[in-house]
Structures are given as structure tokens and as C-alpha cells.
């Protein structure tokens, strides 16, 4: 409507201008005609009266001359007549002759010539004709001046203007009304067609989609994509924030209650035998477990993992299964036993000395050994057999986790052609050039492409993966859909930034943040008003622990006011200790911490509190709640869940997160102080800023961070993957139906003739 008005206003202005120009043209033309007409009339009047007039003038008969003039002006248009010249002295004139037109004020002219003019007088416009009166012998006796009234022309001009404007106004109104009606009508028909077309994705499963008009074809794909993206966020069972309940609803309504199978190297619960012979349950220090475990509790199903605990074998049933979590059993843990040789080759060797450094830009050289590769393949195959056993049916949904199982999707596809296989890569994917360092690059890519969807934390990792596929495999890459088509099968490549459960269950039993703050300082032997920083990691070179400690040292160097007041608690869980690089890192962290403590200890324990052991989650959450600042300094990290855990622990809205920009988390947590961990000046400045930040600013930042993590929690992560998977399944099933119909010669059943898109058929 507004657009219609935007069009109408200039149209009306244009019409008014045209009306004005047209009326002026008409008036001018009417004037010209009238002048010509009056000049001719004047000559006619003189011609008919010349004889009498010249005779009387020559005879000096003023009375008769005046009578002739009075007779002339009986014509209604002739306003007056007068004679000027030597024969009529003093001048003769009729009664109504305008006194302004005295003989001596007449326009100049050549003697004996006629002259016409239009003159404006106070009583109105008049037409003036000055005509010489000649005697029979050719002598000029004087001039006859005839004045015609032209005011009727002014009246006519006003009428012409009025009529033209009214006519154009009517035309304008008519045009406006028909434009509005036409735009209204086309709007209604556009929206009707758009509605019809938008409905297509939902009922097109049952029949052919309606044909889109040419006008709509370019936008339709965009609109459909938007609608389906929104639809993917909205699931039956409720919108709003994602929760365990909402995720369960997705499974119930979209996957018809089918449990999922998760395959990961690490198990969520490890049974360890203590020195006194008792068995205790350990929660591993693993981002993957932190994220996936709440999802499994919501979804149920089976988690297949390496049984690595010393009491694991003693706690499983005859099928190597145990129900977990202990005390609130909701899903099955299926353990796979690995020989020492397998573990060394597959886990320590190929996965953690090869792929881990290959995928992280942390300046550790990847080691690739053929013997490790052999074990990697072997263990992947062993897991494939176990997963196939655990799959609830041929259409199972299987979530393959991480770089330990790059070959598994293809192996599973061979065993379960109809399964929905979702591979998630928890660490970065390097660029193609770097990836090419791996001698088995083709096998790894091909293995992953057995999946229905391959997921990464960020779009950049997806792009790197597609670039690697492009470089090393014969395949077609559909950039628009972000999919790889190989051997007639399609794999979607999508970013799914992982997260944590919200609210964190570990908060439930903890005291208030204030209490944690006081208790924690007391337990560490620190003054009650000490400033405390915290770092929580597996002891891994990608986490930048050495750089973190050096940033603390730089802080104390540059800002002496923090000496003796600021302490940094580093909770570090020993990790992959069989690998030489990790052992060296352990030594280096110890050495750097000792050197800083020696410099700034002042005879006391020093500012670095290095706690190198495995911590139970409630302990870690207490540290988060007690800290003034949490510093995550990874040199490269797929996501980093410590940053998100810290945010989730701070329901008091206090504490500052200093976060490496080389983490996936930095893309989401913009209100953290984001730093380059290699730049010790920048990092130490950020630590100083964090320790001096006003409580109001802390609150503002923390509120925004908490909103972000709460909204983008791990249930949303899992929900989005599963919803994408269900849509893919629907598409595949439809594709199979159409394919069957086409092969059995019933093209009409599936819509158009011709085979369905083979690419999506699995
Ligand atoms: P990780 O490298 O394991 O994960 P991260 O995401 O930081 O890293 O998670 C670490 C987890 O271990 C956290 O839940 C933390 O609480 C816990 N943890 C750390 N130190 C501990 C300690 N001393 N004792 C006990 N627990 C400890 C990989 C990728 C990450 C990605 C995750 C999830 O490297 O980039 O975020 O997977 O995809």
C-alpha cells in the first residue's frame, strides 16, 4: 500500500503540471485567434463606414461624424470609437471610449499604416485598432481608433483553466483508484500463490509439488530454505530453549523413540579399583564426555567405548554392558576391550601422535607410522562389528565421535546401508595442504564420507574439510548445499558448535559463590581478600598452559600492585602420559611454575598453585565459583568447554573470562576478554583489566555470556544434528519410494517422469 502511494504522489504532481501547461497553451491559442478576429472586425467596421466618415470629416461636420461613431459601437463587443487627427480637432469619441487612450498616447506607428495592439486597462484587457481614414483623393483625414472589449477572454481563460484541472484531476483520481485496486489485487494473488508454494515442502511428500510461476522461481528456493531452517528449530513438543525434555521429544516424535548409538573412544564412566580393593567411578576429563553424556541421559540408547578402567571388566554383564549413570541408570555402556598393542597403535600412536598434532596448529610434529595405522584400521573395524551388534535395527541412528574413528562411518555403512550415520569431529580440521601430510589422507576422507552428515564446530573447519575432499578425492562438491557426492551417495558437511548442559548438574549441591570463594581460599591457604585466577585443563600442549603461566609472570612484572595479592590455581589432569611430548610438557609446566614461584614467592608458596591431578566435576565447579578470573589460553582448540563451564558456574554474575581467540568458543563468547595467548603483553594486560574490572561491568558481561551459553546449550547442538538427520531420512525414504515407483514403470506415482536424484539414495 505504501509503495502504491509512493507511486501515486508523483503521478498526481505530474498530472497537475501537465494540466497547467495544457490550459495555458489553450488560452494562448484562444487569445491569438481572438486578436485576429478583432483586427478583421475593426477593418470591416471601417470599410462599411469609410465613405460617410471621410465625407463628414472632410466637411467638418462634427455632429454627423459623432453619430456615425455611435452607430459603429452598437456592436456589443466594440467598447468605443474615436477619431484623432487634424480633421477632428478637438478629438471626437463615443461616450464609453476609455479616457486612458487619449490620441496623444496612442502607440507610435508609421503615418497611414494600420496598427493593432492589446492593452491592459484597469477595467480589463482591450483590443485596440488604429486605422487611417483616407479621403477619395488619398489624403489621410485622421485615424479611427476602435477599442474592443477583451475581458470575456480573461473570463474564458479562467474557465478553461478550471475545466482542464477538473478533467485532469478526474483522470488522476481514476488512475489512482485503478492503481490501488490493481496493486491490491496482485498482492492478494501473489500472497495466495506464495502460500500455495510454501505449503509444498510439507505435502510434497505425498505428491507432486505445485509448479511455481516464473516470477517466484528465483525466490522460492530462498524462502523454502528459510522456512525449513525455522522449522528445524521448531520441534513438536515445544519451542523455546532447548532442554533434555525437548530433546527427548525430538526423539519420540521424529525418530519414533529409536535410541541412538554413540561411539567414542572415551567412556563416560570409568570403574577404577582403589588400593583398598574397592571400586570407584571416575568421570573422565574429556570435553567430548562433558558434552555427550547429558545428551545420552536424555536420549537413552547405547554408548560404545573402550573399557579403559582397571575395574571395568568386573562391572559389566556377560555382553560387556553396564547400565549408567550409576544410581540413575538410563542408558547402556558397551565396553570394547583393546589389547595393549592395539591401544598403543590406535590410541597413542595414530590418533594422538598423528592426527591430534596434525589437526592442531600447536607446533608439534605429527608422527605417522605404518604399524600405528594398521592398529587404527583394526580397532575401527572391531568397533564397527560391535556397533552393528548394538544397533537397534537397520535404520539405526549412530553418532560416531571424533578423530579416533575416521574409518568407522564407511565400515558401518557397509554393514548397515540404511543407517543414519552422523560423524562429529571434535577438534579442528586443518587446511588441505597440512592435511596432505598424512600418508593415509584418502582413506581417512573416504572413511568419513561413509556418514550421512559430518559435523564440525565451525564453518572454517567445514570449509577446510571440503577443500581437502576436493583436493584428494574424486567427488563432486555441492558448495551451495555444503555436501559431497561420491559414488552416488551424498554426505552433508555442517557446523554444529558444541556446548554444555544448561543448567550444569554439578551446581546443584554446591554452596553459594560467596561461600565457595571463602572456603576455596581457606583450603588453599590464601588470604581471604586474595585475587584468584583459575585454569582447568587436561595437560595438553594445545591448551597453552606454559603460555598462561608466562602471562601471569608478565602480569606480575608489569603490575607490581598484584604481587602478593594475585594467585593462579592451575587444575591440570595428566593426559596421554605414555607419549613423550606430553611427558616433556608436564616437566616444562612444572619448571615454569617453580621458576615463577621462586621469583615472586617472597619466601612463601608463590603465586602459581599447580594441582596436577584428576579433579571431580564438583571440585572444578567450586574453583570456577571461587575465582575472580578464568584464563583459557589454548593455542588451538576446536571449541573449549572450560570457558562455557566457567560461565555456567557464575550464577552470581561475577568473574571475568579471558579467552584465547584460537578457540571455537571465542566465536560465540564475544563478551569475554579475547586475547592472543602468544602475545604476553596483550594477555597480561587483559588479566590486569579483568582483575580491576568494576562489578557492574563484570555483571553486564557475565549476563550476556550466560544468555548465550544457556540458549546455545548442548541439547540444542544434539537437537539440530538429530533434526537434520530426520530430514535426511525422510528425503532418503522418499527417494527410495520414488526410485521403486520409477523402476516398476509407474512414473506418475512419484510425480514427474525420470529417475529420482540418485545422489541422495543410500
Ligand atoms: P578437550 O580437549 O578434552 O575436548 P575441553 O573442551 O576443554 O577439551 O573440555 C575439557 C573437559 O575436561 C571439561 O569438561 C573440563 O571440566 C574437564 N577437565 C579439565 N581438566 C580437568 C581436570 N584436571 N580434572 C577433571 N576434569 C577436567 C575436545 C576438544 C575441544 C572440544 C571438546 C568437545 O579438544 O576443543 O571443546 O572436545 O567437543
Amino acid at each position: 500500500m505504501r509503495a502504491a502511494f509512493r507511486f501515486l504522489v508523483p503521478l498526481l504532481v505530474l498530472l497537475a503540471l501537465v494540466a497547467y501547461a495544457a490550459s495555458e497553451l489553450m488560452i494562448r491559442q484562444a487569445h491569438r485567434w481572438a486578436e485576429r478576429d478583432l483586427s478583421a472586425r475593426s477593418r470591416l467596421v471601417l470599410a462599411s463606414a469609410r465613405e460617410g466618415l471621410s465625407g463628414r470629416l472632410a466637411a467638418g461636420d462634427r455632429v454627423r461624424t459623432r453619430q456615425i461613431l455611435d452607430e459603429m459601437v452598437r456592436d456589443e463587443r466594440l467598447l468605443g470609437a474615436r477619431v484623432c487627427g487634424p480633421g477632428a480637432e478637438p478629438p471626437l469619441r463615443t461616450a464609453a471610449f476609455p479616457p486612458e487612450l487619449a490620441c496623444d498616447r496612442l502607440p507610435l506607428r508609421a503615418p497611414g499604416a494600420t496598427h493593432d495592439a492589446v492593452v491592459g486597462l484597469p477595467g480589463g484587457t482591450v483590443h485596440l485598432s488604429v486605422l487611417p481614414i483616407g479621403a477619395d483623393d488619398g489624403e489621410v483625414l485622421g485615424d479611427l481608433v476602435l477599442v474592443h472589449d477583451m475581458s470575456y477572454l480573461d473570463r474564458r481563460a479562467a474557465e478553461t483553466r478550471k475545466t482542464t484541472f477538473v478533467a485532469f484531476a478526474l483522470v488522476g483520481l481514476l488512475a489512482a483508484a485503478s492503481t490501488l485496486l490493481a496493486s491490491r489485487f496482485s498482492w492478494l494473488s501473489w500472497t495466495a500463490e506464495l502460500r500455495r508454494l510454501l505449503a509444498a515442502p510439507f505435502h510434497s511428500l505425498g505428491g507432486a509439488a505445485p509448479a511455481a510461476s516464473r516470477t517466484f522461481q528465483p525466490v522460492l528456493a530462498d524462502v523454502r530454505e528459510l522456512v525449513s531452517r525455522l522449522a528445524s528449530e521448531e520441534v513438536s513438543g515445544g519451542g523455546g530453549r532447548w532442554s533434555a525434555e525437548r530433546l527427548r521429544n525430538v526423539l519420540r516424535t521424529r525418530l519414533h523413540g529409536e535410541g541412538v548409538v554413540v561411539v567414542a573412544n572415551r567412556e563416560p564412566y570409568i570403574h577404577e579399583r582403589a588400593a583398598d580393593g574397592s571400586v570407584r567411578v571416575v568421570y573422565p576429563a574429556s570435553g567430548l564426555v562433558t558434552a555427550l553424556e547429558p545428551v545420552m541421559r536424555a536420549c537413552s540408547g547405547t554408548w560404545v567405548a573402550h573399557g579403559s578402567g582397571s575395574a571395568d571388566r568386573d562391572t559389566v554383564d556377560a555382553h560387556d554392558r553396564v547400565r549408567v549413570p550409576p544410581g540413575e541408570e538410563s542408558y547402556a555402556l558397551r565396553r570394547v576391550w583393546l589389547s595393549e598393542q592395539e591401544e598403543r597403535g590406535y590410541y597413542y600412536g595414530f590418533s594422538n601422535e598423528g592426527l591430534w598434532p596434525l589437526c592442531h596448529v600447536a607446533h608439534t610434529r605429527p608422527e605417522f607410522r605404518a604399524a600405528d595405522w594398521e592398529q587404527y584400521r583394526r580397532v575401527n573395524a572391531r568397533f564397527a562389528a560391535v556397533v552393528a551388534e548394538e544397533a537397534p535395527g537397520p535404520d539405526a541412528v549412530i553418532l560416531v565421535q571424533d578423530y579416533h574413528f575416521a574409518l568407522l562411518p564407511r565400515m558401518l555403512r557397509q554393514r548397515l546401508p540404511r543407517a543414519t550415520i552422523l560423524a562429529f569431529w571434535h577438534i579442528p580440521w586443518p587446511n588441505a595442504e597440512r592435511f596432505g601430510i598424512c600418508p593415509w589422507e584418502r582413506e581417512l576422507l573416504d572413511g568419513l564420507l561413509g556418514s550421512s552428515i559430518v559435523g564440525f564446530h565451525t564453518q572454517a573447519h567445514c570449509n577446510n574439510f571440503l577443500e581437502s575432499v576436493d583436493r584428494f578425492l574424486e567427488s563432486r562438491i555441492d558448495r551451495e548445499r555444503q555436501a559431497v557426492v561420491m559414488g552416488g551417495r551424498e554426505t552433508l558437511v555442517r557446523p554444529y558448535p558444541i556446548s554444555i548442559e544448561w543448567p550444569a548438574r554439578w551446581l546443584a549441591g554446591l554452596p553459594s559463590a560467596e561461600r565457595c570463594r571463602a572456603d576455596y581460599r581457606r583450603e588453599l591457604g590464601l588470604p581471604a581478600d586474595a585475587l584468584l585466577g583459575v585454569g582447568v585443563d587436561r595437560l595438553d600442549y594445545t591448551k597453552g598452559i606454559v603460555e598462561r603461566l608466562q602471562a601471569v609472570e608478565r602480569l606480575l612484572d608489569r603490575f607490581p600492585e598484584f604481587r602478593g595479592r594475585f594467585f593462579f590455581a592451575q587444575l591440570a589432569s595428566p593426559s596421554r602420559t605414555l607419549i613423550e611430548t606430553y611427558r616433556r610438557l608436564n616437566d616444562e609446566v612444572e619448571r615454569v611454575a617453580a621458576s615463577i614461584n621462586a621469583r615472586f614467592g617472597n619466601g612463601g608458596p608463590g603465586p602459581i598453585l599447580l594441582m596436577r591431578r584428576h579433579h571431580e566435576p564438583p571440585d572444578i565447579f567450586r574453583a570456577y565459583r571461587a575465582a575472580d578470573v578464568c584464563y583459557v589460553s589454548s593455542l588451538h582448540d576446536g571449541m573449549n568447554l572450560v570457558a562455557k563451564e566457567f560461565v555456567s558456574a557464575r550464577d552470581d554474575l561475577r568473574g571475568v573470562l579471558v579467552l584465547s581467540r584460537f578457540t571455537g568458543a571465542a566465536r560465540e563468547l564475544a563478551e569475554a576478554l579475547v586475547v592472543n595467548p602468544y602475545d604476553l603483553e596483550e594477555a597480561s594486560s587483559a588479566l590486569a583489566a579483568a582483575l580491576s574490572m568494576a562489578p557492574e561491568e563484570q555483571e553486564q558481561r557475565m549476563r550476556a555470556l550466560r544468555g548465550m551459553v544457556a540458549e546455545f546449550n548442548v541439547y540444542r547442538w544434539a537437537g539440530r544434528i538429530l533434526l537434520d538427520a530426520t530430514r535426511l531420512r525422510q528425503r532418503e525414504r522418499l527417494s527410495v519410494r520414488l526410485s521403486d515407483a520409477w523402476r516398476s514403470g509407474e512414473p506418475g506415482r512419484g510425480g514427474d517422469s525420470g529417475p529420482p536424484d540418485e545422489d541422495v539414495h543410500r
Side-chain angles (χ1 to χ4, degrees), residues 285 287 290 426 537-538 543 573 615 620 637-641 645:
T290 301
H426 289 256
D537 313 78
R538 287 182 304 98
K543 303 292 180 185
S573 167
H615 292 74
I620 293 176
D637 217 333
M639 175 54 70
N640 193 287
L641 295 182
E645 284 176 346

Side-chain angles (χ1 to χ4, degrees), residues 595-611:
S595 127
I596 297 171
N597 285 342
R599 272 192 71 199
F600 297 100
N602 224 356
I608 307 291
L609 307 157
L610 185 57
M611 296 182 247

Side-chain angles (χ1 to χ4, degrees), residues 412-647:
L412 283 174
R413 176 66 62 214
Q414 278 150 10
R415 286 170 180 266
L416 300 165
R418 276 170 43 195
T420 301
I421 302 171
L422 311 168
F424 192 80
W425 196 263
H426 289 256
I427 61 177
W429 189 275
N431 64 39
E433 197 168 346
R434 188 174 166 88
F435 182 67
I437 292 173
C438 176
W440 297 279
E441 78 278 32
R442 284 186 180 77
E443 287 86 341
L444 293 175
L445 290 169
D446 179 70
L448 280 168
L449 290 174
S451 315
S452 319
I453 303 179
V454 180
F456 297 92
H457 293 302
T458 67
Q459 185 61 52
H461 300 157
C462 292
N463 296 346
N464 282 351
F465 179 77
L466 289 173
E467 192 199 329
S468 307
V469 172
D470 202 16
R471 186 172 300 190
F472 298 113
L473 291 185
E474 283 292 320
S475 63
R476 181 169 68 78
I477 295 184
D478 181 340
R479 301 256 169 209
E480 203 175 320
R481 296 193 61 235
Q482 286 210 76
V484 180
V485 182
M486 209 177 76
R489 296 182 191 282
E490 184 188 57
T491 301
L492 302 181
V493 180
R494 292 278 189 279
Y496 302 102
I498 209 165
S499 195
I500 55 171
E501 64 181 333
W502 190 277
R505 83 194 122 130
W506 307 112
L507 282 176
L510 289 185
S512 69
E514 208 178 323
R515 178 101 236 146
C516 289
R517 184 182 177 87
D519 288 355
Y520 208 73
R521 279 166 180 69
R522 201 182 50 248
E523 286 162 28
L524 295 179
L526 302 177
D529 62 348
L531 293 170
L532 182 66
V534 68
V536 179
D537 313 78
R538 287 182 304 98
L539 242 173
D540 193 296
Y541 53 83
T542 61
K543 303 292 180 185
I545 301 172
V546 170
E547 289 74 5
R548 189 178 312 163
L549 300 184
Q550 286 168 342
V552 171
E553 181 175 28
R554 194 76 194 107
L555 169 85
L556 299 176
D557 267 337
R558 290 175 64 206
F559 305 95
E561 66 270 27
F562 292 119
R563 291 180 197 164
R565 277 188 69 212
F566 176 62
F567 298 85
F568 193 87
Q570 177 60 55
L571 283 62
S573 167
S575 181
R576 305 169 191 170
T577 43
L578 290 190
I579 300 174
E580 174 60 24
T581 327
Y582 284 78
R583 284 201 299 270
R584 277 206 309 271
L585 172 75
N586 184 52
D587 296 345
E588 195 183 356
V589 167
E590 194 168 322
R591 187 185 55 73
V592 173
S595 127
I596 297 171
N597 285 342
R599 272 192 71 199
F600 297 100
N602 224 356
I608 307 291
L609 307 157
L610 185 57
M611 296 182 247
R612 247 171 326 154
R613 59 185 161 82
H614 182 83
H615 292 74
E616 292 302 301
D619 271 357
I620 293 176
F621 274 74
R622 246 161 37 90
Y624 290 144
R625 277 158 89 76
D628 296 290
V629 56
C630 173
Y631 183 20
V632 172
S633 55
S634 310
L635 305 181
H636 202 189
D637 217 333
M639 175 54 70
N640 193 287
L641 295 182
V642 168
K644 294 188 175 183
E645 284 176 346
F646 174 66
V647 167

